[in-house]
Amino acid sequence: MTRFGLISILMVFISVYGFGQSNKNKGLRSELIGGWEFSELRDDKGNKVDTIWHNVPGLGKKGWEIPRGPLMVYNANGTYSKQFTPKNIDTGEWYYDEKKKEINQTLSYPKPYSAAAQYLIDKGHAKQDRNGSYYEVIIDKIVELTNDTLIILEREGRQRIFIKKK
């Protein structure tokens, strides 16, 4: 065997066995793992926000939102859930982008598609995978992350504050 052939085999071995195992947990920031409860919403000046007036997607009208959550769980296996109500729970996969300080979440759309999911598909917000299923990429920009506090930046400079469940 030539020296070039031996080096090629060694590089394949290192990339498959050496790096493949560490990539599984790459980007799973340990501080994020666990459950997070909504605490409060603050505006860009730091004032507490009790209600938000905005457009209601798909209905063509405006309405009030009372900030409540969701209850978020980031698992060590790279999956997550966001529970908005007992029946409205988003699930998918996540990783943390250290350079950008963002949580990247791939929201899976379960079949049959809900009215909200169908609206997002029709408006082009969803992407289609190889199997024909739809998903959405959601990116949460992190303002602060500690073992007990998670602050996510939202539209118009608002900050959604979460406290880790004990």
Side-chain angles (χ1 to χ4, degrees):
M1 178 175 288
T2 68
R3 183 175 175 184
F4 177 74
L6 186 58
I7 291 172
S8 296
I9 291 170
L10 182 60
M11 290 189 67
V12 168
F13 179 81
I14 290 171
S15 66
V16 170
Y17 294 103
F19 297 112
Q21 292 174 358
S22 64
N23 282 343
K24 183 176 181 184
N25 294 323
K26 183 179 181 184
L28 300 184
R29 180 97 180 237
S30 63
E31 294 93 338
L32 276 169
I33 296 171
W36 295 91
E37 292 181 314
F38 173 74
S39 174
E40 65 183 340
L41 183 67
R42 299 250 172 213
D43 67 14
D44 60 341
K45 295 175 180 56
N47 301 312
K48 186 174 180 180
V49 176
D50 293 322
T51 56
I52 304 168
W53 178 252
H54 58 80
N55 290 322
V56 179
L59 299 180
K61 56 182 171 180
K62 295 185 180 213
W64 290 101
E65 173 192 349
I66 299 172
R68 290 198 178 110
L71 172 63
M72 302 185 306
V73 177
Y74 292 100
N75 299 304
N77 68 358
T79 62
Y80 79 93
S81 67
K82 289 184 178 181
Q83 181 177 351
F84 299 92
T85 69
K87 293 183 179 181
N88 181 6
I89 303 171
D90 290 350
T91 61
E93 296 179 348
W94 73 278
Y95 72 91
Y96 183 76
D97 185 324
E98 189 74 39
K99 288 182 183 178
K100 295 181 179 179
K101 298 197 182 311
E102 297 173 341
I103 305 170
N104 288 263
Q105 299 138 118
T106 303
L107 168 63
S108 304
Y109 288 5
K111 292 180 181 178
Y113 299 125
S114 68
Q118 192 60 56
Y119 170 80
L120 293 168
I121 292 167
D122 294 345
K123 293 295 181 184
H125 296 287
K127 297 179 182 181
Q128 195 170 27
D129 65 17
R130 285 184 239 134
N131 300 322
S133 297
Y134 284 91
Y135 67 95
E136 183 179 353
V137 175
I138 299 168
I139 299 174
D140 287 334
K141 181 77 176 160
I142 303 302
V143 175
E144 181 180 328
L145 174 60
T146 68
N147 287 326
D148 300 315
T149 305
L150 170 62
I151 302 176
I152 296 174
L153 184 64
E154 294 191 345
R155 293 183 301 256
E156 300 173 13
R158 291 188 297 262
Q159 296 182 4
R160 196 166 292 254
I161 302 168
F162 294 87
I163 305 298
K164 188 168 258 184
K165 288 178 65 172
K166 299 292 179 194

